Amino acid sequence: MPNEWQSVLDEIEENVSETAFKTYFSKVKFDKIDDTLQIIVPSVFIKKQYEGKYKTAILDALKAAKIDYKKLEIVESKEPTKGPIRGGVKVEKTQPIINTTSAPTKKSLNTAKSGLRPEYTLDNYVVGKNNDLAVSAAKAVIENPGKRYNPYFIYGSSGSGKTHLIQAIGNAIHEKYPEKKVRYVTTEEFYNDFIVSIQKKLDGFKEKYRKVDVLIVDDFQGIVGKEKSQEEFFHTFNDLYKENKQIIVSSDRLPNQIATVDPRLSSRLTMGLPVDIQMPGFEERCAIIKMKAELLGADLDSQTVEKLAEAVNTNIRDLEGALHRVLALAELRGVPTVDIVNDLTAISAGTGTKRLSPKQVIERVAKYYGLTAKDLLGTSRLKDIKNARQVAMFLLNEELNLSTVKIGLEFKKDHTTIMHGIKMVNNNLKNDFSFREQISELKAKIYAN
């Protein structure tokens, strides 16, 4: 059905950016088996993006092309990548090496004064269960800055991808509304500018921060102990909000969890949409590794990607650092990347990462909830035990990538019960902010041990 698929691609090309089309749709294949329509993509990263960002565009294009099907599957190609091997790293002949520190483009020159880095975009931001709500809200902010989800407040652990997302929002608004003035700063920069303006009695501070259409403030937790800066930020916030200007703030925790933050400021920051970003699960880590590798011009095989994702489960910065070490060592030693990844000491040095067994996860989940492993592995239907048991099932699937069948063997339950438990946790994660915080805290405690 090549002609029909081409019409689908033509339709999609009309509805996504040129960069997105070239990145995500140029190497896909199309197949139909009975009533099942398969979209075959070259990597787990692109598969994840289709599922998280482009499924609606695909469905609309299929409808426009009048292609009938009962089931749609997006699958990763199992074909080995063809291309030369350099230092054990397969490199596509047609895949350009992208240097994110190259000379500034016209766009980067336009955004230089804003503090934004043009390489941070939604197109190269991996969407998963850990951040889908934050990304959906971000898209609404981009469409109507200052009108929906204002302020937009995201929080999560260091290295969870907050800076990438808020800068991507700024870049997208800058591209969609070139006339709007966007400014990105860290809390430390805001504090330093404020102090200098007082010490040197300089004008221009209010002009810099209040005469903007979008103010993005990163690492809000840095305002701890800076009472005068808090007061100035409070007044800046009020002025911008009254003028329907968009305010975007990131932090490692909610404002009311930060000592000495003015309650008035805390309440204002959370009156829009406070949403947390969790650490990526196994599938998201695979997608991130694949994306980062592709940006470096390297095409990793699935075995390398999965082993690396299993070995480094702390945060995105550690994951990226481990990837750079793997590629560098493979290049220096002239061996396949999978050989480097098998040396867990080489890739996990400095990350604090430890491989966990199912038994360890179950024991640590039980301890967190004040229970025993015997409680979780038993048959009790008490709500507290049942909920903790489902969390353990979820983490075994999410963090250790165990199948529902294998998890069922641990709990002596059939795989449908396991699937139900995982589904319940996923539903709660989407709808209950306090539960998301609880799971983030639990993960941190599990790996800290």
Side-chain angles (χ1 to χ4, degrees), residues 393-411:
M393 293 173 179
F394 166 80
L395 290 174
L396 289 176
N397 176 252
E398 184 82 4
E399 296 300 311
L400 272 60
N401 198 37
L402 294 187
S403 68
T404 54
V405 174
K406 289 184 178 179
I407 297 171
L409 293 174
E410 294 289 336
F411 287 90

Side-chain angles (χ1 to χ4, degrees), residues 343-377:
D343 180 3
L344 296 181
T345 302
I347 63 169
S348 61
T351 66
T353 298
K354 294 180 181 179
R355 302 192 71 178
L356 298 173
S357 67
K359 181 182 177 181
Q360 287 175 309
V361 171
I362 292 168
E363 287 176 345
R364 294 175 189 185
V365 170
K367 182 179 179 181
Y368 179 82
Y369 288 107
L371 303 169
T372 66
K374 187 176 180 180
D375 291 330
L376 298 194
L377 297 172

Side-chain angles (χ1 to χ4, degrees), residues 205-341:
F205 178 82
K206 290 182 180 180
E207 178 81 17
K208 179 176 180 180
Y209 288 101
R210 300 190 192 185
K211 301 298 182 182
V212 296
D213 298 292
V214 181
L215 178 63
I216 304 172
V217 180
D218 205 356
D219 295 330
F220 176 74
Q221 70 276 4
I223 209 162
V224 172
K226 301 178 175 71
E227 293 182 6
K228 290 293 184 181
S229 293
Q230 278 191 54
E231 184 178 348
E232 182 61 32
F233 185 70
F234 175 78
H235 294 304
T236 298
F237 180 101
N238 284 342
D239 278 5
L240 293 173
Y241 188 78
K242 287 175 185 176
E243 297 294 324
N244 293 320
K245 306 301 184 182
Q246 182 67 49
I247 303 159
I248 299 170
V249 181
S250 82
S251 177
D252 66 356
R253 71 206 98 152
L254 285 165
N256 61 11
Q257 297 172 336
I258 302 174
T260 73
V261 169
D262 188 326
R264 297 176 305 163
L265 180 55
S266 176
S267 66
R268 279 164 172 73
L269 286 170
T270 54
M271 67 185 181
L273 179 71
V275 59
D276 75 314
I277 294 181
Q278 298 182 44
M279 288 302 177
F282 174 77
E283 289 185 354
E284 288 78 22
R285 293 198 298 273
C286 284
I288 290 167
I289 292 165
K290 192 71 176 177
M291 181 269 291
K292 297 288 187 183
E294 287 174 357
L295 287 176
L296 294 169
D299 184 26
L300 302 184
D301 60 273
S302 295
Q303 187 181 9
T304 297
V305 170
E306 290 175 7
K307 282 183 174 292
L308 189 52
E310 287 174 354
V312 183
N313 43 34
T314 46
N315 60 51
I316 297 172
R317 289 196 190 104
D318 289 343
L319 202 61
E320 188 169 6
L323 172 64
H324 280 281
R325 287 195 294 275
V326 167
L327 295 178
L329 288 170
E331 180 80 21
L332 289 170
R333 297 178 185 176
V335 298
T337 52
V338 70
D339 289 354
I340 301 296
V341 175

Side-chain angles (χ1 to χ4, degrees), residues 39-228:
I39 298 176
I40 306 166
V41 298
S43 70
V44 67
F45 165 60
I46 292 180
K47 179 177 183 288
K48 204 71 184 176
Q49 301 312 290
Y50 272 34
E51 293 170 343
K53 288 197 244 183
Y54 299 111
K55 196 166 186 178
T56 300
I58 293 169
L59 292 173
D60 289 345
L62 291 170
K63 185 178 180 180
K66 298 180 180 179
I67 295 179
D68 296 322
Y69 61 93
K70 288 185 178 180
K71 184 179 179 183
L72 176 66
E73 292 181 345
I74 301 171
V75 297
E76 183 186 358
S77 174
K78 299 300 180 184
E79 294 180 8
T81 304
K82 295 179 181 180
I85 296 180
R86 186 184 65 203
V89 181
K90 293 181 179 177
V91 181
E92 287 282 0
K93 290 180 180 178
T94 57
Q95 174 78 28
I97 295 179
I98 301 175
N99 180 3
T100 58
T101 60
S102 57
T105 61
K106 183 177 180 181
K107 179 179 177 181
S108 65
L109 287 172
N110 289 338
T111 59
K113 292 183 179 179
S114 69
L116 295 170
R117 294 173 58 180
E119 66 268 25
Y120 285 136
T121 69
L122 284 181
D123 282 341
N124 59 25
Y125 188 75
V126 175
V127 181
K129 290 180 290 187
N130 61 311
N131 59 17
D132 57 351
L133 184 59
V135 173
S136 295
K139 290 178 179 178
V141 169
I142 292 164
E143 286 300 314
N144 295 288
K147 296 179 181 178
R148 292 194 65 190
Y149 306 129
N150 192 26
Y152 174 88
F153 186 97
I154 62 170
Y155 62 103
S157 302
S158 177
S160 58
K162 302 186 299 297
T163 297
H164 187 146
L165 181 56
I166 61 176
Q167 288 228 17
I169 296 171
N171 280 316
I173 292 175
H174 177 82
E175 183 175 355
K176 188 175 179 67
Y177 306 100
E179 74 283 0
K180 289 189 180 296
K181 191 173 181 180
V182 181
R183 184 170 301 285
Y184 164 89
V185 293
T186 63
T187 303
E188 188 67 23
E189 289 176 275
F190 182 90
Y191 169 76
N192 289 336
D193 284 349
F194 178 59
I195 294 301
V196 169
S197 70
I198 293 174
Q199 291 176 338
K200 298 186 178 181
K201 298 181 180 180
L202 298 176
D203 295 326
F205 178 82
K206 290 182 180 180
E207 178 81 17
K208 179 176 180 180
Y209 288 101
R210 300 190 192 185
K211 301 298 182 182
V212 296
D213 298 292
V214 181
L215 178 63
I216 304 172
V217 180
D218 205 356
D219 295 330
F220 176 74
Q221 70 276 4
I223 209 162
V224 172
K226 301 178 175 71
E227 293 182 6
K228 290 293 184 181

